[in-house]
Structure formats: structure tokens, C-alpha cells
Amino acid sequence: MPIKVSVQKIRGFTYKLRNAGGGLVTILSFGYLGYILTSNWSQLISYEWRINWCQIALAFIYYSFSLILAVLGWGLIVSHFTQVKGLRKHLKYYTYTNLLRRLPIPLLYLLGRVYLYEREGIAKSVMVTVSFLEWILIVLSGIMIYLVTSPYLPLPRVWLSLRFLVVIFIASAFLLHPRTIRAIFRAILGQKGRTVLAEFGYSDALICLIIYGLVWIGGGMMLYATINSLYILSLAYLPAVIGAWVLSGVITTLVFATAAGLGVKELTLGLLLGYIIPSPLAIAIALLMRVCLIVFDILWGVVALKL
């Protein structure tokens, strides 16, 4: 009994420490963003703020394109490990839980997925494992797109170091190995893993990587349209904008298991865009992107209600 109590205390302390650390990172991130904005306040005031709503509409189209592809990728993964079929149902559940990603609560979207698919008879452990596989595919595809776009990014060498990316790429490829996936399933599901587990080979992983790679590109094009809603940016910078979106997204995806995901996206995206456009405007666009994502999520949430 004393051992169980001590373990519970340790877990409780770890949970509080993680949340406190994530909250601190969030405060520091938004604090630094506020510092950049206030220190360049005169430049922001003098700027002619005119929103090009046609570009915002175009951003919504790119967002919708990325969302449909993300749902397609998610549906392919889920169909390998469960009996839940139908793109409409996956779109509905994915859209609902996608709204939870915007809240400052770590992994809340995962709890939403578990709840919704549990009503379809899918065990919690299966959904956690499938979501983990999706996470690996998203990160790996992001690294691949970043490797392609990195030559176009006017960044310091530390951001363009291939050594670190190669290590992550090899580690992700190992995690995507079919034997590794089967071992994870058996470790989490036990004996049920033998009946739930379906074949997920490299050909399946390659298809999902292509799909999620297109999702990353679609998000970068959405960012490019958002930039052009406030600032005219040459099409020649599109690869750099996609690279900035992917790099900031990969960093955020890696830390999203903590509350630090909130604010980190805006900070990294603002810093990266600062090499392409004026820094205060880059921060404003990073914040505008969050607003657009929330509004677009709500619009698709309304659509999902009709499905």
C-alpha cells in the first residue's frame, strides 16, 4: 500500500511539473511575441492594414484541401486496424476532434478520438496506438518536405543542419518498420494485438507519407495566401514559406504532448517568417494564422454537423 501511494504521488508530481513547464514555455513564448510587437509598435502603427479577403478565401480553400487529405490519411490508417469504414464518418470525427487541438490542453483531441471511436466498438488502446502511428507519419513526412524546401530558406546554418534531421529520419523509419508496429501493438494490446493487428507494410506507409506530405504543402500554401492578405509576397518565396510552415509545424508536433504546444507554433513561425518579411509583420501573420485556423475549424465543424 505505501508503495502504491508513493507511485501515485510521483505520477501526480510529474504531471504537475509537466503542466507547469508547459505553461511556463507558453507564457515565455507569448511574452517574447509581445516584446517584438511592442518594440516595433511605431512601425506597426504606420503600416497600412488592409486585409485582402480574396486571399483569406483562398487560404480557406487550401485549408479544406489539406483537411480532406488529412482525413483520407487518417481513414487509411484506421481501416488497417479496425472495421470502421466510410470517409464521411472519419471526416465527422476528425473535424470534431480537430477543434480540440486549438485548446491549451495537451492531448485533448486524443481523448475525443477515444470517446467517439469507442462508441463504434473500438478499444481505447487501439485508438491510442493508431494515433501514435499517425503522429510518426506526420513528423516523418514533415521532415521529408523540409529537406526538400530547406535550400530555399534564408536561415542560419543551425536551422539547416542535415545531421540532426538525418538522425530523426532514421529513427522515424525504424518506428515505421512493420515489425516495430507489430511489437507496439502486441505490447499495448497484449493477446488482442494478434487479432486486431493488420498488415501495414512499407507500401502502406509510403502512401500515407505522400498524403501527409501533401497536407504539409497545403498548409504552407494556406500560410502563403494568409501572408498575401496583408503583404504582397513574390511567388518565388513559396518554397521558403512552405519550409517555414513545415519546420514550425514539426517542432510544435514534437512538443504537443505538453501544454507548451500553445504559443510555440506562433513563436517559431514568427521567427522563421522574420527572415522573409519584416519581423513585426511576421508575428502578426503568425497570430492571424491561429485565428484563421480556429475559424476554419469551426466552419468545418458546422459542416460536419450536417453529415
Side-chain angles (χ1 to χ4, degrees):
M1 188 67 179
I3 297 179
K4 291 183 179 180
V5 173
S6 62
V7 170
Q8 290 177 354
K9 288 183 177 180
I10 292 174
R11 288 179 178 176
F13 176 76
T14 303
Y15 178 79
K16 292 179 180 179
L17 183 63
R18 184 181 62 182
N19 286 341
L24 179 61
V25 172
T26 299
I27 293 173
L28 291 176
S29 298
F30 279 113
Y32 185 72
L33 291 174
Y35 168 75
I36 295 178
L37 292 176
T38 54
S39 60
N40 295 274
W41 190 250
S42 59
Q43 185 177 352
L44 289 171
I45 295 177
S46 61
Y47 186 80
E48 294 186 9
W49 296 96
R50 294 182 180 178
I51 297 180
N52 186 333
W53 294 104
C54 291
Q55 291 294 329
I56 296 295
L58 187 60
F60 178 70
I61 294 175
Y62 290 140
Y63 169 88
S64 302
F65 167 77
S66 300
L67 177 64
I68 297 299
L69 285 175
V71 172
L72 177 61
W74 170 249
L76 289 175
I77 298 173
V78 174
S79 63
H80 272 85
F81 302 104
T82 71
Q83 299 300 318
V84 180
K85 309 294 181 181
L87 187 62
R88 179 184 296 182
K89 183 172 293 184
H90 290 308
L91 175 61
K92 191 172 185 176
Y93 291 169
Y94 193 94
T95 304
Y96 287 164
T97 55
N98 207 38
L99 284 166
L100 301 177
R101 291 178 182 268
R102 312 305 172 194
L103 299 177
I105 303 175
L107 300 180
L108 184 60
Y109 80 97
L110 181 57
L111 297 178
R113 282 182 178 179
V114 169
Y115 170 75
L116 291 173
Y117 281 94
E118 194 174 20
R119 299 192 307 175
E120 303 291 336
I122 308 302
K124 298 177 182 179
S125 53
V126 175
M127 290 312 303
V128 171
T129 306
V130 171
S131 296
F132 176 68
L133 177 59
E134 179 204 32
W135 182 84
I136 296 173
L137 288 166
I138 289 174
V139 172
L140 182 57
S141 61
I143 293 174
M144 294 172 63
I145 299 299
Y146 174 68
L147 288 174
V148 175
T149 58
S150 59
Y152 299 94
L153 287 169
L155 303 178
R157 289 185 177 180
V158 64
W159 291 96
L160 303 176
S161 176
L162 293 179
R163 188 174 301 175
F164 178 67
L165 291 175
V166 167
V167 172
I168 298 179
F169 186 86
I170 294 175
S172 301
F174 169 76
L175 290 173
L176 280 174
H177 195 283
R179 292 183 179 179
T180 305
I181 296 173
R182 296 188 186 103
I184 293 173
F185 260 72
R186 293 191 183 99
I188 296 178
L189 302 179
Q191 292 297 325
K192 293 182 180 179
R194 297 181 181 275
T195 57
V196 175
L197 186 62
E199 291 297 327
F200 193 85
Y202 274 121
S203 59
D204 303 306
L206 180 59
I207 293 174
C208 290
L209 286 174
I210 293 174
I211 292 174
Y212 284 119
L214 293 174
V215 171
W216 283 113
I217 294 174
M221 295 176 69
M222 175 190 169
L223 174 60
Y224 179 77
T226 304
I227 293 173
N228 278 275
S229 69
L230 294 177
Y231 179 87
I232 299 177
L233 186 65
S234 171
L235 189 62
Y237 286 97
L238 179 59
V241 171
I242 293 175
W245 172 256
V246 171
L247 183 56
S248 63
V250 169
I251 293 174
T252 306
T253 303
L254 290 173
V255 302
F256 195 74
T258 69
L262 180 64
V264 174
K265 176 77 171 182
E266 289 75 21
L267 177 62
T268 54
L269 185 60
L271 291 175
L272 292 170
L273 290 179
Y275 292 98
I276 304 174
I277 59 179
S279 293
L281 186 59
I283 299 299
I285 289 173
L287 296 174
L288 178 60
M289 273 293 292
R290 172 166 283 274
V291 174
C292 287
L293 286 172
I294 293 174
V295 173
F296 295 165
D297 282 342
I298 294 174
L299 290 176
W300 268 100
V302 174
V303 173
L305 288 174
K306 305 297 182 180
L307 298 178

